[in-house]
Every structure is written in structure tokens, then in C-alpha cells.
Short mmCIF file of all heavy atoms in Angstrom, two decimals:
data_model
loop_
_atom_site.label_atom_id
_atom_site.label_comp_id
_atom_site.label_asym_id
_atom_site.label_seq_id
_atom_site.Cartn_x
_atom_site.Cartn_y
_atom_site.Cartn_z
N MET A 26 9.75 1.04 -6.75
CA MET A 26 8.62 0.14 -6.51
C MET A 26 7.32 0.96 -6.59
O MET A 26 7.18 1.98 -5.94
CB MET A 26 8.77 -0.52 -5.15
CG MET A 26 7.68 -1.49 -4.80
SD MET A 26 8.02 -2.21 -3.17
CE MET A 26 7.12 -3.69 -3.36
N ALA A 27 6.41 0.45 -7.35
CA ALA A 27 5.11 1.15 -7.56
C ALA A 27 4.21 0.95 -6.34
O ALA A 27 4.21 -0.13 -5.72
CB ALA A 27 4.44 0.66 -8.80
N ASP A 28 3.47 2.00 -6.01
CA ASP A 28 2.53 1.91 -4.92
C ASP A 28 1.30 1.14 -5.39
O ASP A 28 0.89 1.20 -6.54
CB ASP A 28 2.07 3.29 -4.47
CG ASP A 28 3.17 4.02 -3.74
OD1 ASP A 28 3.87 3.40 -2.94
OD2 ASP A 28 3.33 5.23 -3.95
N THR A 29 0.65 0.44 -4.44
CA THR A 29 -0.59 -0.25 -4.72
C THR A 29 -1.71 0.59 -4.09
O THR A 29 -1.59 1.04 -2.94
CB THR A 29 -0.58 -1.65 -4.08
OG1 THR A 29 0.49 -2.39 -4.66
CG2 THR A 29 -1.86 -2.39 -4.35
N TYR A 30 -2.76 0.81 -4.85
CA TYR A 30 -3.87 1.58 -4.38
C TYR A 30 -5.14 0.70 -4.33
O TYR A 30 -5.33 -0.13 -5.22
CB TYR A 30 -4.15 2.79 -5.31
CG TYR A 30 -3.04 3.79 -5.29
CD1 TYR A 30 -1.95 3.72 -6.15
CD2 TYR A 30 -3.07 4.81 -4.38
CE1 TYR A 30 -0.93 4.64 -6.11
CE2 TYR A 30 -2.05 5.77 -4.35
CZ TYR A 30 -0.99 5.67 -5.20
OH TYR A 30 0.05 6.59 -5.13
N LEU A 31 -5.96 0.91 -3.32
CA LEU A 31 -7.17 0.12 -3.15
C LEU A 31 -8.41 1.02 -3.22
O LEU A 31 -8.43 2.10 -2.65
CB LEU A 31 -7.17 -0.59 -1.78
CG LEU A 31 -5.99 -1.54 -1.46
CD1 LEU A 31 -6.17 -2.12 -0.09
CD2 LEU A 31 -5.90 -2.61 -2.50
N ALA A 32 -9.42 0.50 -3.90
CA ALA A 32 -10.72 1.17 -3.95
C ALA A 32 -11.47 0.95 -2.63
O ALA A 32 -11.10 0.07 -1.84
CB ALA A 32 -11.52 0.61 -5.13
N ASP A 33 -12.54 1.71 -2.43
CA ASP A 33 -13.29 1.56 -1.20
C ASP A 33 -13.84 0.16 -1.01
O ASP A 33 -13.85 -0.38 0.11
CB ASP A 33 -14.42 2.59 -1.10
CG ASP A 33 -15.37 2.58 -2.27
OD1 ASP A 33 -15.21 1.79 -3.19
OD2 ASP A 33 -16.32 3.40 -2.25
N VAL A 34 -14.24 -0.51 -2.10
CA VAL A 34 -14.76 -1.90 -1.97
C VAL A 34 -13.64 -2.84 -1.56
O VAL A 34 -13.90 -3.80 -0.83
CB VAL A 34 -15.47 -2.37 -3.25
CG1 VAL A 34 -16.71 -1.58 -3.49
CG2 VAL A 34 -14.55 -2.30 -4.45
N GLN A 35 -12.40 -2.60 -2.02
CA GLN A 35 -11.30 -3.43 -1.64
C GLN A 35 -10.88 -3.21 -0.15
O GLN A 35 -10.55 -4.14 0.55
CB GLN A 35 -10.09 -3.17 -2.54
CG GLN A 35 -10.33 -3.57 -3.97
CD GLN A 35 -9.24 -3.06 -4.91
OE1 GLN A 35 -8.97 -1.87 -4.93
NE2 GLN A 35 -8.64 -3.99 -5.65
N VAL A 36 -10.92 -1.96 0.28
CA VAL A 36 -10.66 -1.63 1.70
C VAL A 36 -11.73 -2.30 2.55
O VAL A 36 -11.41 -2.92 3.59
CB VAL A 36 -10.59 -0.11 1.93
CG1 VAL A 36 -10.43 0.21 3.40
CG2 VAL A 36 -9.45 0.52 1.11
N ALA A 37 -12.97 -2.19 2.13
CA ALA A 37 -14.07 -2.80 2.88
C ALA A 37 -13.89 -4.30 2.98
O ALA A 37 -14.07 -4.91 4.04
CB ALA A 37 -15.40 -2.47 2.23
N ALA A 38 -13.48 -4.95 1.89
CA ALA A 38 -13.28 -6.41 1.85
C ALA A 38 -12.12 -6.77 2.81
O ALA A 38 -12.16 -7.78 3.51
CB ALA A 38 -13.02 -6.89 0.48
N ARG A 39 -11.10 -5.93 2.83
CA ARG A 39 -9.92 -6.21 3.69
C ARG A 39 -10.30 -6.26 5.16
O ARG A 39 -9.78 -7.05 5.92
CB ARG A 39 -8.87 -5.10 3.44
CG ARG A 39 -7.59 -5.27 4.17
CD ARG A 39 -6.62 -4.15 3.82
NE ARG A 39 -5.35 -4.34 4.47
CZ ARG A 39 -4.33 -5.01 3.98
NH1 ARG A 39 -4.41 -5.61 2.83
NH2 ARG A 39 -3.20 -5.10 4.69
N TYR A 40 -11.23 -5.41 5.55
CA TYR A 40 -11.62 -5.31 6.98
C TYR A 40 -12.97 -5.93 7.28
O TYR A 40 -13.41 -5.92 8.44
CB TYR A 40 -11.60 -3.85 7.46
CG TYR A 40 -10.21 -3.24 7.26
CD1 TYR A 40 -10.02 -2.15 6.43
CD2 TYR A 40 -9.12 -3.72 7.95
CE1 TYR A 40 -8.76 -1.60 6.26
CE2 TYR A 40 -7.87 -3.19 7.80
CZ TYR A 40 -7.69 -2.12 6.94
OH TYR A 40 -6.43 -1.58 6.79
N GLY A 41 -13.66 -6.45 6.27
CA GLY A 41 -14.96 -7.09 6.51
C GLY A 41 -16.01 -6.09 6.94
O GLY A 41 -16.82 -6.37 7.85
N ILE A 42 -16.03 -4.94 6.27
CA ILE A 42 -16.94 -3.86 6.62
C ILE A 42 -17.73 -3.42 5.39
O ILE A 42 -17.41 -3.84 4.26
CB ILE A 42 -16.17 -2.66 7.23
CG1 ILE A 42 -15.08 -2.20 6.24
CG2 ILE A 42 -15.60 -3.00 8.60
CD1 ILE A 42 -14.32 -0.97 6.67
N HIS A 43 -18.70 -2.52 5.58
CA HIS A 43 -19.45 -1.94 4.44
C HIS A 43 -18.54 -0.95 3.73
O HIS A 43 -17.69 -0.31 4.35
CB HIS A 43 -20.69 -1.24 4.97
CG HIS A 43 -21.62 -0.84 3.89
ND1 HIS A 43 -21.51 0.38 3.25
CD2 HIS A 43 -22.65 -1.47 3.31
CE1 HIS A 43 -22.43 0.49 2.32
NE2 HIS A 43 -23.15 -0.64 2.33
N ARG A 44 -18.75 -0.76 2.43
CA ARG A 44 -17.91 0.12 1.66
C ARG A 44 -17.99 1.60 2.07
O ARG A 44 -17.10 2.36 1.75
CB ARG A 44 -18.16 -0.03 0.16
CG ARG A 44 -19.49 0.50 -0.29
CD ARG A 44 -19.74 0.30 -1.73
NE ARG A 44 -18.92 1.20 -2.52
CZ ARG A 44 -19.01 1.31 -3.84
NH1 ARG A 44 -19.90 0.64 -4.50
NH2 ARG A 44 -18.25 2.16 -4.49
N ALA A 45 -19.02 1.98 2.80
CA ALA A 45 -19.13 3.33 3.26
C ALA A 45 -18.24 3.59 4.51
O ALA A 45 -17.91 4.73 4.81
CB ALA A 45 -20.59 3.69 3.60
N THR A 46 -17.90 2.55 5.22
CA THR A 46 -17.17 2.70 6.48
C THR A 46 -15.78 3.32 6.31
O THR A 46 -15.43 4.19 7.09
CB THR A 46 -17.09 1.33 7.21
OG1 THR A 46 -18.42 0.84 7.40
CG2 THR A 46 -16.37 1.46 8.54
N PRO A 47 -15.00 2.97 5.28
CA PRO A 47 -13.68 3.65 5.14
C PRO A 47 -13.83 5.15 4.94
O PRO A 47 -13.03 5.94 5.46
CB PRO A 47 -13.05 3.02 3.91
CG PRO A 47 -13.76 1.71 3.73
CD PRO A 47 -15.11 1.88 4.34
N TRP A 48 -14.89 5.56 4.26
CA TRP A 48 -15.12 6.99 4.09
C TRP A 48 -15.46 7.65 5.42
O TRP A 48 -14.99 8.75 5.73
CB TRP A 48 -16.27 7.23 3.07
CG TRP A 48 -15.92 6.76 1.71
CD1 TRP A 48 -16.34 5.60 1.11
CD2 TRP A 48 -15.04 7.37 0.77
NE1 TRP A 48 -15.80 5.49 -0.15
CE2 TRP A 48 -14.98 6.56 -0.37
CE3 TRP A 48 -14.29 8.54 0.80
CZ2 TRP A 48 -14.21 6.87 -1.48
CZ3 TRP A 48 -13.53 8.87 -0.32
CH2 TRP A 48 -13.49 8.04 -1.42
N ARG A 49 -16.27 6.95 6.24
CA ARG A 49 -16.63 7.50 7.53
C ARG A 49 -15.39 7.57 8.42
O ARG A 49 -15.17 8.55 9.15
CB ARG A 49 -17.72 6.61 8.15
CG ARG A 49 -18.33 7.20 9.40
CD ARG A 49 -19.55 6.44 9.89
NE ARG A 49 -19.34 5.01 10.05
CZ ARG A 49 -19.90 4.07 9.25
NH1 ARG A 49 -20.68 4.39 8.28
NH2 ARG A 49 -19.65 2.80 9.48
N TRP A 50 -14.58 6.49 8.41
CA TRP A 50 -13.33 6.50 9.19
C TRP A 50 -12.42 7.65 8.78
O TRP A 50 -11.79 8.28 9.61
CB TRP A 50 -12.62 5.18 9.05
CG TRP A 50 -13.25 4.01 9.75
CD1 TRP A 50 -14.26 4.04 10.60
CD2 TRP A 50 -12.84 2.66 9.63
NE1 TRP A 50 -14.58 2.75 11.04
CE2 TRP A 50 -13.69 1.92 10.44
CE3 TRP A 50 -11.88 1.98 8.89
CZ2 TRP A 50 -13.61 0.53 10.56
CZ3 TRP A 50 -11.77 0.60 9.02
CH2 TRP A 50 -12.63 -0.09 9.86
N ALA A 51 -12.33 7.89 7.47
CA ALA A 51 -11.42 8.95 6.97
C ALA A 51 -11.86 10.32 7.48
O ALA A 51 -11.04 11.18 7.72
CB ALA A 51 -11.40 8.94 5.44
N LYS A 52 -13.14 10.51 7.67
CA LYS A 52 -13.67 11.76 8.20
C LYS A 52 -13.55 11.86 9.72
O LYS A 52 -13.23 12.93 10.25
CB LYS A 52 -15.13 11.94 7.81
CG LYS A 52 -15.33 12.31 6.39
CD LYS A 52 -16.80 12.51 6.09
CE LYS A 52 -17.04 12.84 4.63
NZ LYS A 52 -18.43 13.09 4.34
N ALA A 53 -13.80 10.76 10.41
CA ALA A 53 -13.93 10.78 11.89
C ALA A 53 -12.62 10.45 12.62
O ALA A 53 -12.44 10.92 13.73
CB ALA A 53 -15.04 9.81 12.33
N ASP A 54 -11.79 9.64 12.04
CA ASP A 54 -10.60 9.17 12.75
C ASP A 54 -9.33 9.79 12.11
O ASP A 54 -8.95 9.42 11.00
CB ASP A 54 -10.52 7.62 12.65
CG ASP A 54 -9.33 7.03 13.41
OD1 ASP A 54 -8.49 7.80 13.92
OD2 ASP A 54 -9.23 5.79 13.44
N PRO A 55 -8.69 10.71 12.81
CA PRO A 55 -7.53 11.36 12.21
C PRO A 55 -6.35 10.41 11.98
O PRO A 55 -5.49 10.74 11.16
CB PRO A 55 -7.14 12.44 13.22
CG PRO A 55 -7.93 12.19 14.44
CD PRO A 55 -9.04 11.23 14.12
N SER A 56 -6.33 9.27 12.62
CA SER A 56 -5.24 8.32 12.40
C SER A 56 -5.44 7.43 11.17
O SER A 56 -4.50 6.83 10.68
CB SER A 56 -5.04 7.44 13.64
OG SER A 56 -6.12 6.52 13.80
N PHE A 57 -6.68 7.38 10.67
CA PHE A 57 -6.97 6.56 9.48
C PHE A 57 -6.44 7.28 8.24
O PHE A 57 -6.65 8.46 8.10
CB PHE A 57 -8.47 6.29 9.35
CG PHE A 57 -8.80 5.28 8.28
CD1 PHE A 57 -8.53 3.94 8.47
CD2 PHE A 57 -9.39 5.68 7.10
CE1 PHE A 57 -8.81 3.02 7.47
CE2 PHE A 57 -9.68 4.77 6.11
CZ PHE A 57 -9.40 3.43 6.30
N PRO A 58 -5.80 6.56 7.35
CA PRO A 58 -5.20 7.19 6.15
C PRO A 58 -6.29 7.91 5.31
O PRO A 58 -7.40 7.41 5.14
CB PRO A 58 -4.62 6.04 5.36
CG PRO A 58 -4.40 4.97 6.37
CD PRO A 58 -5.47 5.14 7.39
N LYS A 59 -5.94 9.05 4.79
CA LYS A 59 -6.81 9.80 3.89
C LYS A 59 -6.70 9.23 2.46
O LYS A 59 -5.58 8.84 2.04
CB LYS A 59 -6.47 11.30 3.89
CG LYS A 59 -6.54 11.93 5.26
CD LYS A 59 -7.93 11.86 5.82
CE LYS A 59 -8.01 12.53 7.19
NZ LYS A 59 -8.88 11.87 8.09
N PRO A 60 -7.77 9.19 1.76
CA PRO A 60 -7.68 8.70 0.36
C PRO A 60 -7.06 9.68 -0.57
O PRO A 60 -7.04 10.91 -0.32
CB PRO A 60 -9.16 8.46 -0.01
CG PRO A 60 -9.93 9.43 0.85
CD PRO A 60 -9.15 9.53 2.15
N PHE A 61 -6.52 9.18 -1.68
CA PHE A 61 -5.92 10.00 -2.71
C PHE A 61 -6.83 10.06 -3.91
O PHE A 61 -7.43 9.06 -4.30
CB PHE A 61 -4.62 9.35 -3.20
CG PHE A 61 -3.48 9.44 -2.24
CD1 PHE A 61 -3.30 8.45 -1.30
CD2 PHE A 61 -2.58 10.50 -2.24
CE1 PHE A 61 -2.26 8.52 -0.38
CE2 PHE A 61 -1.55 10.55 -1.34
CZ PHE A 61 -1.39 9.58 -0.42
N THR A 62 -6.95 11.24 -4.51
CA THR A 62 -7.68 11.37 -5.77
C THR A 62 -6.68 11.19 -6.89
O THR A 62 -5.83 12.07 -7.10
CB THR A 62 -8.38 12.71 -5.86
OG1 THR A 62 -9.27 12.86 -4.74
CG2 THR A 62 -9.15 12.85 -7.14
N LEU A 63 -6.75 10.07 -7.58
CA LEU A 63 -5.83 9.79 -8.68
C LEU A 63 -6.24 10.53 -9.93
O LEU A 63 -5.40 11.11 -10.63
CB LEU A 63 -5.74 8.28 -8.94
CG LEU A 63 -5.27 7.46 -7.72
CD1 LEU A 63 -5.28 5.99 -8.08
CD2 LEU A 63 -3.85 7.86 -7.31
N THR A 64 -7.52 10.48 -10.25
CA THR A 64 -8.09 11.25 -11.35
C THR A 64 -9.51 11.61 -10.91
O THR A 64 -10.00 11.13 -9.89
CB THR A 64 -8.17 10.43 -12.66
OG1 THR A 64 -9.01 9.30 -12.47
CG2 THR A 64 -6.81 9.99 -13.11
N HIS A 65 -10.18 12.45 -11.70
CA HIS A 65 -11.52 12.80 -11.36
C HIS A 65 -12.40 11.55 -11.31
O HIS A 65 -12.45 10.77 -12.25
CB HIS A 65 -12.08 13.79 -12.42
CG HIS A 65 -13.50 14.20 -12.13
ND1 HIS A 65 -13.80 15.06 -11.08
CD2 HIS A 65 -14.66 13.87 -12.71
CE1 HIS A 65 -15.11 15.24 -11.04
NE2 HIS A 65 -15.67 14.53 -12.04
N GLY A 66 -13.04 11.32 -10.17
CA GLY A 66 -13.89 10.13 -9.96
C GLY A 66 -13.11 8.87 -9.64
O GLY A 66 -13.72 7.79 -9.57
N CYS A 67 -11.84 8.97 -9.36
CA CYS A 67 -11.03 7.79 -9.01
C CYS A 67 -10.25 8.11 -7.73
O CYS A 67 -9.17 8.69 -7.78
CB CYS A 67 -10.09 7.44 -10.15
SG CYS A 67 -9.10 5.98 -9.83
N THR A 68 -10.79 7.71 -6.60
CA THR A 68 -10.19 7.95 -5.29
C THR A 68 -9.82 6.59 -4.68
O THR A 68 -10.62 5.68 -4.69
CB THR A 68 -11.15 8.72 -4.39
OG1 THR A 68 -11.54 9.91 -5.05
CG2 THR A 68 -10.50 9.07 -3.06
N ARG A 69 -8.58 6.52 -4.19
CA ARG A 69 -8.07 5.25 -3.67
C ARG A 69 -7.25 5.48 -2.40
O ARG A 69 -6.77 6.58 -2.13
CB ARG A 69 -7.16 4.55 -4.70
CG ARG A 69 -7.80 4.28 -6.04
CD ARG A 69 -8.79 3.17 -5.94
NE ARG A 69 -9.31 2.77 -7.23
CZ ARG A 69 -10.48 3.13 -7.74
NH1 ARG A 69 -11.22 3.98 -7.05
NH2 ARG A 69 -10.89 2.71 -8.90
N TRP A 70 -7.08 4.39 -1.63
CA TRP A 70 -6.22 4.41 -0.46
C TRP A 70 -4.90 3.70 -0.80
O TRP A 70 -4.90 2.68 -1.50
CB TRP A 70 -6.88 3.66 0.71
CG TRP A 70 -7.85 4.48 1.46
CD1 TRP A 70 -7.59 5.20 2.63
CD2 TRP A 70 -9.24 4.70 1.18
NE1 TRP A 70 -8.73 5.83 3.05
CE2 TRP A 70 -9.77 5.54 2.16
CE3 TRP A 70 -10.11 4.24 0.16
CZ2 TRP A 70 -11.09 5.93 2.18
CZ3 TRP A 70 -11.43 4.66 0.17
CH2 TRP A 70 -11.92 5.49 1.18
N LYS A 71 -3.83 4.23 -0.29
CA LYS A 71 -2.55 3.61 -0.48
C LYS A 71 -2.41 2.40 0.46
O LYS A 71 -2.61 2.52 1.67
CB LYS A 71 -1.42 4.57 -0.14
CG LYS A 71 -0.44 4.83 -1.22
CD LYS A 71 0.68 5.72 -0.69
CE LYS A 71 1.16 6.61 -1.82
NZ LYS A 71 2.31 7.38 -1.41
N LEU A 72 -2.11 1.23 -0.11
CA LEU A 72 -1.98 0.03 0.67
C LEU A 72 -0.91 0.18 1.77
O LEU A 72 -1.13 -0.24 2.90
CB LEU A 72 -1.66 -1.16 -0.21
CG LEU A 72 -1.50 -2.50 0.51
CD1 LEU A 72 -2.72 -2.90 1.29
CD2 LEU A 72 -1.11 -3.59 -0.49
N SER A 73 0.22 0.80 1.46
CA SER A 73 1.30 0.95 2.45
C SER A 73 0.81 1.77 3.64
O SER A 73 1.21 1.49 4.78
CB SER A 73 2.53 1.60 1.77
OG SER A 73 2.23 2.87 1.25
N GLU A 74 -0.03 2.80 3.40
CA GLU A 74 -0.54 3.59 4.52
C GLU A 74 -1.51 2.82 5.35
O GLU A 74 -1.56 2.96 6.57
CB GLU A 74 -1.14 4.89 4.00
CG GLU A 74 -0.12 5.83 3.42
CD GLU A 74 -0.69 7.18 3.05
OE1 GLU A 74 -1.89 7.44 3.27
OE2 GLU A 74 0.08 7.99 2.50
N LEU A 75 -2.35 1.97 4.69
CA LEU A 75 -3.29 1.12 5.45
C LEU A 75 -2.50 0.14 6.32
O LEU A 75 -2.87 -0.10 7.47
CB LEU A 75 -4.23 0.38 4.51
CG LEU A 75 -5.25 1.26 3.78
CD1 LEU A 75 -5.95 0.48 2.70
CD2 LEU A 75 -6.25 1.85 4.75
N GLU A 76 -1.45 -0.44 5.76
CA GLU A 76 -0.66 -1.39 6.54
C GLU A 76 0.03 -0.71 7.72
O GLU A 76 0.12 -1.29 8.79
CB GLU A 76 0.38 -2.06 5.62
CG GLU A 76 -0.25 -2.98 4.62
CD GLU A 76 0.71 -3.51 3.54
OE1 GLU A 76 1.75 -2.86 3.31
OE2 GLU A 76 0.40 -4.57 2.97
N ALA A 77 0.51 0.52 7.53
CA ALA A 77 1.11 1.27 8.64
C ALA A 77 0.07 1.58 9.68
O ALA A 77 0.35 1.49 10.92
CB ALA A 77 1.73 2.57 8.09
N TRP A 78 -1.16 1.90 9.30
CA TRP A 78 -2.25 2.16 10.24
C TRP A 78 -2.56 0.92 11.03
O TRP A 78 -2.72 0.98 12.25
CB TRP A 78 -3.45 2.68 9.46
CG TRP A 78 -4.68 2.93 10.31
CD1 TRP A 78 -4.89 3.98 11.13
CD2 TRP A 78 -5.85 2.11 10.38
NE1 TRP A 78 -6.14 3.84 11.74
CE2 TRP A 78 -6.74 2.72 11.26
CE3 TRP A 78 -6.22 0.92 9.76
CZ2 TRP A 78 -7.96 2.17 11.59
CZ3 TRP A 78 -7.46 0.40 10.04
CH2 TRP A 78 -8.31 1.01 10.96
N GLU A 79 -2.60 -0.22 10.33
CA GLU A 79 -2.88 -1.50 11.04
C GLU A 79 -1.78 -1.80 12.04
O GLU A 79 -2.07 -2.22 13.16
CB GLU A 79 -2.91 -2.63 10.00
CG GLU A 79 -4.08 -2.59 9.05
CD GLU A 79 -3.91 -3.54 7.87
OE1 GLU A 79 -2.98 -4.37 7.84
OE2 GLU A 79 -4.76 -3.44 6.97
N ALA A 80 -0.52 -1.58 11.66
CA ALA A 80 0.59 -1.82 12.57
C ALA A 80 0.49 -0.92 13.82
O ALA A 80 0.77 -1.36 14.93
CB ALA A 80 1.90 -1.64 11.86
N ALA A 81 0.14 0.34 13.59
CA ALA A 81 0.04 1.27 14.72
C ALA A 81 -1.11 0.87 15.65
O ALA A 81 -0.97 0.93 16.88
CB ALA A 81 -0.19 2.69 14.21
N LYS A 82 -2.23 0.44 15.09
CA LYS A 82 -3.38 -0.06 15.89
C LYS A 82 -2.98 -1.28 16.68
O LYS A 82 -3.34 -1.41 17.85
CB LYS A 82 -4.59 -0.35 14.99
CG LYS A 82 -5.28 0.85 14.46
CD LYS A 82 -5.93 1.64 15.56
CE LYS A 82 -6.75 2.80 15.01
NZ LYS A 82 -7.36 3.60 16.02
N SER A 83 -2.23 -2.16 16.04
CA SER A 83 -1.78 -3.39 16.72
C SER A 83 -0.83 -3.02 17.86
O SER A 83 -0.90 -3.59 18.95
CB SER A 83 -1.07 -4.28 15.72
OG SER A 83 -0.65 -5.46 16.35
N ALA A 84 0.09 -2.10 17.63
CA ALA A 84 1.02 -1.68 18.66
C ALA A 84 0.30 -1.02 19.83
O ALA A 84 0.66 -1.21 20.97
CB ALA A 84 2.05 -0.73 18.07
N ASP A 85 -0.75 -0.25 19.52
CA ASP A 85 -1.54 0.37 20.60
C ASP A 85 -2.19 -0.67 21.49
O ASP A 85 -2.28 -0.51 22.70
CB ASP A 85 -2.63 1.29 19.98
CG ASP A 85 -2.07 2.57 19.40
OD1 ASP A 85 -0.89 2.88 19.63
OD2 ASP A 85 -2.83 3.24 18.69
N ARG A 86 -2.69 -1.76 20.86
CA ARG A 86 -3.34 -2.82 21.66
C ARG A 86 -2.33 -3.53 22.52
O ARG A 86 -2.65 -3.89 23.66
CB ARG A 86 -4.02 -3.81 20.70
CG ARG A 86 -5.27 -3.27 20.09
CD ARG A 86 -6.04 -4.38 19.34
NE ARG A 86 -6.85 -3.71 18.36
CZ ARG A 86 -6.78 -3.90 17.04
NH1 ARG A 86 -5.89 -4.73 16.56
NH2 ARG A 86 -7.55 -3.23 16.22
N VAL A 87 -1.14 -3.76 22.01
CA VAL A 87 -0.11 -4.46 22.78
C VAL A 87 0.33 -3.57 23.96
O VAL A 87 0.55 -4.09 25.06
CB VAL A 87 1.10 -4.82 21.87
CG1 VAL A 87 2.25 -5.34 22.67
CG2 VAL A 87 0.67 -5.84 20.81
N ALA A 88 0.45 -2.27 23.74
CA ALA A 88 0.91 -1.38 24.77
C ALA A 88 -0.13 -1.17 25.88
O ALA A 88 0.21 -0.84 27.00
CB ALA A 88 1.31 -0.02 24.17
N ALA A 89 -1.39 -1.38 25.54
CA ALA A 89 -2.47 -1.13 26.53
C ALA A 89 -2.59 -2.23 27.52
O ALA A 89 -2.15 -3.25 27.59
CB ALA A 89 -3.78 -0.95 25.81
#
């Protein structure tokens, strides 16, 4: 099964945030998935890693 990769604008649309925010999260939050450089000038986030991050955040809220 092929991985799905999202651009910063797609990640931003997924969470309703500005496109700079995923970059800031990647630097500041160690639990946020790091982007992959697919080619020069083409950096993307793996959808499966974003979904795992969302599930972990959801589990943290339930446990709290």
C-alpha cells in the first residue's frame, strides 16, 4: 500500500490553521511528525503519521 503525503497547505486545511503552523509545530513539539523531503523543494508529511499523532493526542485527552 502506497503512503499518502500531504503538503503544508493540506496539513493546514486538515486542522484549520495557517500553513506556517505545521512548520512551527514540527520545530517546537517533539510529538508532532517531522516532514519528509521527497525531492529538492518538495517536503511533505506522511498522512499515517499525522493520524497516529491525532490518535495519541485524543488518547491523552481521554486519559486526563
Side-chain angles (χ1 to χ4, degrees):
M26 181 178 204
D28 289 320
T29 301
Y30 293 90
L31 302 180
D33 56 359
V34 293
Q35 294 169 307
V36 175
R39 183 177 183 89
Y40 301 117
I42 56 176
H43 189 272
R44 70 182 286 187
T46 303
W48 295 103
R49 190 171 53 249
W50 287 352
K52 286 182 180 181
D54 182 355
S56 69
F57 189 72
K59 301 298 180 217
F61 289 88
T62 301
L63 300 177
T64 61
H65 181 71
C67 182
T68 305
R69 303 289 187 259
W70 278 264
K71 236 185 213 186
L72 178 59
S73 61
E74 290 186 5
L75 290 170
E76 291 171 338
W78 177 75
E79 292 167 8
K82 288 291 185 183
S83 180
D85 287 348
R86 286 188 203 119
V87 171

